[in-house]
Amino acid sequence: MANSAGSRKRARQAEKRRQHNASLRSMVRTYIKKVVTAIDSGDQAAANAALKVAQPIMDASVNKGIFSKSKVARTKSRLNARIKALV
């Protein structure tokens, strides 16, 4: 456990930040799951709509440092490829 006042404060801030980041990460994963669910149901229009909603949220998570840029790009690419394969 932290001993000095400054290190105790730093530990409190780190925990608060960790919980906030976990919440944002969970939210992004939920939006991705909505797209995957629409793809699995075979509804291309719903999958496109879900991806259109999820993309800006995924991009914002990159700017906030929640996910790396390459991970989000890879995920978007794979989801888009799966949607196009539904035809």
Side-chain angles (χ1 to χ4, degrees):
M1 181 59 195
N3 289 323
S4 68
S7 57
R8 281 196 294 271
K9 178 178 179 180
R10 180 57 60 199
R12 285 195 310 270
Q13 289 175 327
E15 178 61 20
K16 186 185 291 187
R17 195 172 303 114
R18 184 191 68 79
Q19 290 177 353
H20 183 253
N21 289 343
S23 172
L24 293 176
R25 192 176 307 116
S26 174
M27 180 185 69
V28 172
R29 288 176 178 159
T30 301
Y31 277 100
I32 292 171
K33 285 176 191 171
K34 288 178 183 177
V35 178
V36 171
T37 303
I39 291 170
D40 291 342
S41 71
D43 189 356
Q44 188 177 24
N48 267 326
L51 183 62
K52 196 169 217 173
V53 171
Q55 275 183 335
I57 294 167
M58 293 166 71
D59 292 335
S61 71
V62 171
N63 294 335
K64 294 175 184 177
I66 306 298
F67 291 109
S68 70
K69 182 167 66 171
S70 59
K71 177 178 174 61
V72 169
R74 181 174 62 244
T75 304
K76 290 192 304 189
S77 175
R78 288 176 179 172
L79 289 173
N80 205 24
R82 287 180 65 185
I83 290 172
K84 289 185 177 189
L86 286 177
V87 178

